[in-house]
């Protein structure tokens, strides 16, 4: 790849999410060559048919936010996009784009002097981009990342490494005493422990050996294809890998879902992966339910909401399929040590206010890019009072601020949930002398329920500002709020009551274990008698699959984690996010309602 090149410009604004780049409903198309036709179909439907090889995208802040789906990068690279210039990038898209062979450059200024169709010239060595007679400085590109792009992406680069006989380094974790050294953020502690390095600081690149890898069904055909392209006949450690069928279970798209199912089974057979979960529930809930993602360890998965396991003090972050393939083969994965924000939660949560309200309040304050490539680290009395399920909810949605991870301290509740001695994990804590970029402090005693309103997760308003808004459908479930605790909250509110005939109320327990426990406790009976439709544990509507999709101008209130445009229906669907308590009260009233008044 030349280090000086020019290309025609396509312009975009701020917060271009991966659902905008390639809609979730297109995510099961089995080939990238077919899928690439639908790039930007909701925003610039002409893109897929008119983009030319060598074209350059110029955008504002937080480009590529949202889901970790690697297809958002690969549909662009297969359409010939050579380079993307933006004010800032979402962290997972950043990795995926380089791994797909696209050069990313950060620049603030060129956005004001170009329009679609202009020509931009990039000079990598001189760190500049030029257009219309003006030149702007861009961020430097590390040589290793440029080489991945120059070699045609991570697949080709990994194939080259294997051909040259490059061997992965041996794991070398810090011992019991060394990992207790003070002065580090939780993210720094977890990375230094796994990487076996005594000192780390933000911006450092460390080579880790993750303790667990997870692949879910929506990416199995692409992972299998990537491993075949690389020529891998084995992976480093099959016992560290699990495959979970949840996005396409039960079948959502008849034409495509069988390919994902078959590919998952083939991955299991060919590479000796024994931890296989078919239709047992949502991947992230199973990961902590089965104790795959343990405190003090590192986990990674082909999904952005991998941050969930940080509720137990696990450093966890999503990656794309190309990077997953390379990591499975070598056992290695590089991470850039993130800056950290300490979030102190004081006080006690009032009745009717849940951990979902806490994270929505934070998202409304710091916005969708306020935690970009940072570790959000939660401490304080209210954090320790939260149950494990409540912590998983908060960590899950830390991603919606662009966070690399969301971490809670490991305490007695953590040790009890995982059945392990506290002294093994109590070093996963906030050090008073650690360096934090900033400290945010909240008194949750003063908090009221919060709603994320159309059309963005960070468009958050206190409940009293949204009361009375008509709602057509309520969705209770997802990896964010589909636990037995969440169902208990809603069932208590709905017992002996019935939703209006005009209300569509859908309940999806997170896992089969949750489903069976909810039956045992009578919650499912309560929901059915209240007029609910109960669905098999799966991702369902949360990721844009069927089981409740909406139409133009309809309003849905959901306990899920995203309300991106078009994600749960059409681009004119109005999507709100809330806690299980607000969801139950609203389902009964038909309008946004306050559970504290029932």
């Amino acid at each position: 790849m030349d280090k000086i090149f020019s290309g025609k410009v396509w312009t975009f604004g701020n917060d271009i999410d991966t659902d905008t780049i390639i809609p979730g409903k297109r995510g099961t198309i089995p080939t990238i060559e077919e899928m690439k036709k639908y790039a930007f179909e909701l925003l610039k439907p002409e893109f897929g048919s008119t983009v030319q090889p060598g074209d350059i995208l110029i955008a504002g802040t937080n480009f590529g936010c949202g889901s970790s789906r690697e297809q958002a990068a690969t549909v662009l690279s297969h359409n010939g996009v050579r380079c993307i210039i933006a004010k800032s990038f979402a962290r997972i898209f950043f990795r995926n784009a380089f791994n797909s062979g696209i050069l990313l450059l950060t620049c603030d200024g060129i956005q004001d002097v170009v329009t679609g169709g202009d020509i931009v010239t990039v000079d990598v060595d001189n760190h500049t981009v030029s257009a219309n007679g003006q030149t702007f400085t861009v961020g430097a590109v590390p040589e290793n990342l440029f080489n991945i792009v120059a070699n045609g992406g991570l697949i080709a680069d990994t194939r080259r490494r294997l051909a040259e006989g490059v061997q992965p380094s041996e794991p070398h974790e810090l011992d019991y005493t060394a990992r207790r050294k003070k002065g580090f953020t939780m993210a720094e502690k977890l990375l230094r422990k796994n990487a076996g390095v005594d000192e780390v600081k933000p911006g450092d690149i460390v080579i880790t050996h993750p303790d667990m890898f997870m692949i879910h069904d929506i990416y199995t055909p692409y992972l299998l294809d990537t491993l075949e392209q690389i020529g891998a006949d084995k992976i480093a450690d099959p016992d560290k890998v699990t495959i979970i069928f949840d996005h396409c279970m039960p079948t959502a798209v008849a034409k495509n879902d069988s390919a994902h199912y078959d590919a998952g089974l083939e991955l299991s057979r060919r590479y000796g992966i024994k931890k296989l979960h078919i239709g047992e529930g949502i991947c992230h809930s199973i990961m902590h339910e089965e104790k795959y993602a343990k405190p003090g360890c590192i986990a990674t998965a082909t999904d952005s909401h991998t941050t969930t396991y940080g509720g137990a003090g696990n450093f966890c972050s999503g990656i794309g399929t190309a990077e997953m393939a390379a990591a499975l083969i070598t056992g290695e994965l590089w991470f850039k040590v993130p800056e950290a924000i300490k979030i102190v939660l004081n006080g006690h949560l009032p009745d009717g206010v849940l951990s979902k309200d806490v994270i929505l309040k934070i998202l409304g304050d710091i916005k969708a890019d306020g935690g970009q490539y940072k570790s959000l680290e939660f401490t304080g009395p209210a954090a320790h009072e939260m149950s494990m399920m409540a912590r998983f909810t908060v960590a899950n949605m830390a991603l919606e601020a662009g966070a690399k991870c969301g971490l809670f301290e490991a305490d007695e509740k953590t040790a009890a949930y995982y059945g392990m001695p506290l002294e093994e994990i109590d070093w996963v804590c906030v050090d008073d002398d650690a360096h934090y970029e900033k400290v945010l402090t909240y008194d949750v005693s003063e908090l009221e329920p919060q709603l994320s309103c159309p059309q963005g997760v960070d468009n958050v308003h206190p409940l009293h500002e949204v009361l009375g808004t008509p709602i057509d459908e309520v969705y209770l479930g997802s990896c964010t709020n589909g636990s037995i605790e969440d169902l208990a909250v809603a069932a208590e509110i709905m017992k002996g009551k019935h939703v209006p005939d005009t209300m569509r109320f859908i309940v999806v327990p997170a896992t089969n274990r949750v489903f069976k426990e909810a039956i045992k406790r009578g919650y499912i009976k309560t929901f059915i008698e209240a007029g609910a439709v109960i669905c098999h544990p799966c991702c369902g509507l949360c990721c844009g699959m069927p089981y409740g999709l909406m139409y133009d101008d309809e309003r849905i209130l959901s306990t899920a984690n995203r309300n991106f445009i078009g994600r749960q229906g059409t681009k004119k669907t109005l999507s709100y996010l809330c806690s299980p308590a607000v969801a139950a009260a609203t389902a009964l009233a038909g309008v946004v309602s306050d559970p504290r008044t029932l």
Side-chain angles (χ1 to χ4, degrees):
M1 178 180 179
D2 295 334
K3 289 194 171 182
I4 300 177
F5 58 86
S6 299
K8 184 189 72 175
V9 166
W10 291 79
T11 59
F12 296 89
N14 298 329
D15 299 319
I16 299 298
D17 59 71
T18 50
D19 280 81
T20 299
I21 300 171
I22 185 68
K25 65 183 180 181
R26 304 296 185 186
T28 60
I29 295 174
T31 68
I32 295 298
E33 284 303 307
E34 175 67 21
M35 189 186 299
K36 73 178 187 180
K37 302 173 186 176
Y38 301 99
F40 294 114
E41 70 169 320
L42 298 178
L43 187 62
K44 296 190 177 186
E46 74 280 8
F47 183 88
S49 59
T50 58
V51 63
Q52 295 295 313
D55 283 359
I56 294 173
L57 311 188
I58 294 185
T61 58
N62 206 23
F63 187 90
C65 58
S67 170
S68 66
R69 66 173 64 100
E70 189 174 22
Q71 295 100 317
T74 53
V75 295
L76 298 182
S77 64
H78 279 248
N79 271 311
V81 173
R82 176 185 290 180
C83 175
I84 305 175
I85 303 168
K87 293 181 180 180
S88 63
F89 294 94
R91 50 144 188 118
I92 298 179
F93 182 85
F94 181 86
R95 298 180 75 105
N96 287 342
F98 273 102
N99 291 337
S100 297
I102 302 175
L103 184 67
L104 300 190
L105 299 172
T106 54
C107 177
D108 189 350
I110 195 171
Q111 294 81 2
D112 299 325
V113 303
V114 296
T115 58
D118 287 348
I119 300 298
V120 166
T121 298
V122 174
D123 187 331
V124 175
D125 283 339
N126 287 321
H127 311 157
T128 61
V129 293
S130 304
N132 296 325
Q134 298 191 49
T135 299
F136 302 86
T137 301
V138 298
V141 179
E143 194 66 21
N144 65 318
L145 294 185
F146 182 82
N147 287 338
I148 289 175
V149 174
N151 287 326
L154 186 62
I155 295 173
D157 192 62
T158 303
R159 189 188 301 120
R160 176 190 59 80
R161 289 184 65 197
L162 290 180
E164 293 174 355
V166 176
Q167 296 296 318
S169 59
E170 290 295 323
H172 177 64
E173 292 192 346
L174 295 182
D175 62 23
Y176 179 85
T177 301
R179 71 186 61 166
R180 290 174 173 273
K181 185 177 179 180
K182 296 292 185 179
F184 297 100
T185 66
M186 285 193 281
E188 291 168 348
K189 289 182 180 186
L190 292 163
L191 289 172
R192 64 187 288 272
K193 176 250 188 181
N194 184 283
V197 293
D198 187 58
E199 296 289 338
V200 296
K201 64 183 184 302
D204 287 353
I205 301 293
V206 296
I207 304 298
T208 69
H209 296 80
D211 303 283
M212 197 65 194
F213 299 88
M214 185 272 285
I215 308 109
H216 57 50
D217 54 354
I218 202 167
Y219 295 121
T220 52
Y222 315 110
L223 179 61
L224 182 61
D225 180 64
T226 301
L227 288 167
E228 290 174 345
Q229 288 183 54
I230 293 173
D233 56 4
K234 63 179 180 179
I235 59 177
D237 190 346
D239 290 337
K240 287 186 175 182
V241 186
T242 183
I243 302 172
I244 302 177
F245 295 66
D246 63 349
H247 281 60
C248 304
M249 294 291 296
T251 297
V253 184
K255 178 181 178 182
N256 301 322
D257 284 1
S258 60
H260 297 258
Y261 193 94
D262 294 342
L265 296 179
E266 180 61 17
L267 281 167
S268 172
R269 184 197 66 78
R270 189 181 303 184
Y271 296 102
I273 300 168
K274 304 301 183 185
K275 295 181 175 68
L276 190 66
H277 299 272
I278 302 175
E280 296 177 29
I282 306 172
C283 59
H284 301 305
S285 299
I286 287 176
M287 284 291 285
H288 62 72
E289 190 175 84
E290 293 291 334
K291 313 302 188 287
Y292 289 154
K294 290 184 171 62
C297 294
I298 289 180
T300 191
T302 53
D303 193 274
S304 53
H305 288 108
T306 301
T307 55
T308 302
Y309 332 138
N314 177 288
F315 184 93
C316 42
S317 197
I319 59 175
T321 50
E323 193 155 25
M324 177 62 75
L328 290 178
I329 293 166
T330 64
E332 297 177 355
L333 191 62
W334 67 267
F335 285 108
K336 183 172 75 171
V337 179
E339 291 277 6
I341 298 174
K342 180 163 67 174
I343 301 177
V344 183
L345 304 177
N346 293 323
H348 308 278
L349 284 172
D351 290 343
V353 180
L354 307 179
S355 67
K356 181 67 163 287
D357 301 305
V358 174
I359 188 60
L360 287 179
K361 171 62 176 173
I362 294 168
L363 288 169
D365 288 347
I366 69 175
K367 301 304 179 184
D369 60 352
Q372 194 63 258
Y373 216 105
K374 295 177 174 57
S375 173
L376 303 188
E377 306 196 352
F378 299 89
T379 187
H384 286 281
E385 285 184 1
M386 287 183 186
S387 68
M388 292 306 297
M389 297 304 112
R391 297 178 194 184
F392 290 136
T393 293
V394 174
N396 175 286
M397 290 195 66
L399 182 278
E400 303 307 331
K404 185 71 176 174
C405 55
L407 299 171
F408 278 75
E409 297 171 289
D411 58 13
E412 293 85 352
K413 290 180 181 177
T414 316
Y417 183 80
Y418 285 87
M420 58 198 309
L422 177 60
E423 56 266 25
E424 286 188 16
I425 55 174
D426 61 358
W427 55 274
V428 184
C429 61
V430 170
D431 291 348
D432 291 337
D433 56 347
H435 171 73
Y436 284 92
E437 181 182 272
K438 66 174 74 170
V439 177
L440 305 177
T441 303
Y442 291 87
D443 181 355
V444 302
S445 304
E446 301 174 354
L447 191 64
E448 69 172 288
Q450 307 284 306
L451 268 75
S452 173
C453 299
Q455 295 279 13
V457 182
D458 58 359
N459 182 22
V460 177
H461 295 265
L463 179 62
H464 73 267
E465 294 182 2
V466 198
L467 283 173
T469 302
I471 297 294
D472 300 293
E473 180 173 298
V474 169
Y475 185 86
L476 172 63
S478 84
C479 58
T480 314
N481 282 122
S483 73
I484 193 66
E485 292 181 10
D486 296 316
L487 300 188
V489 169
E492 178 65 26
I493 292 171
M494 305 193 80
K495 193 169 184 178
K497 301 170 185 174
H498 199 282
V499 303
D501 292 340
T502 55
M503 170 59 65
R504 306 193 296 273
F505 178 42
I506 299 172
V507 178
V508 185
T511 68
N512 281 353
R513 192 176 299 177
V514 171
F515 200 175
K516 288 187 285 188
E517 182 63 22
I519 293 172
K520 180 180 177 181
R521 296 189 189 185
Y523 301 158
I524 298 301
K525 182 174 183 288
T526 294
F527 293 138
I528 291 174
E529 291 178 347
V533 172
I534 314 297
C535 292
H536 180 81
C538 63
C539 293
L541 181 61
C542 179
C543 67
M545 297 299 180
Y547 330 120
L549 288 171
M550 310 295 290
Y551 193 59
D552 290 359
D553 302 320
E554 286 191 313
R555 292 184 175 92
I556 177 172
L557 185 69
S558 168
T559 62
N561 43 43
R562 285 195 176 131
N563 57 352
F564 294 161
I565 294 173
R567 186 174 178 90
Q568 295 171 325
T570 74
K571 62 183 179 181
K572 293 184 179 180
T573 296
L574 301 174
S575 180
Y576 299 75
L577 306 177
C578 68
S579 75
V582 173
T586 299
L588 291 172
V591 298
V592 174
S593 300
D594 192 337
R596 300 170 299 176
T597 63
L598 299 180

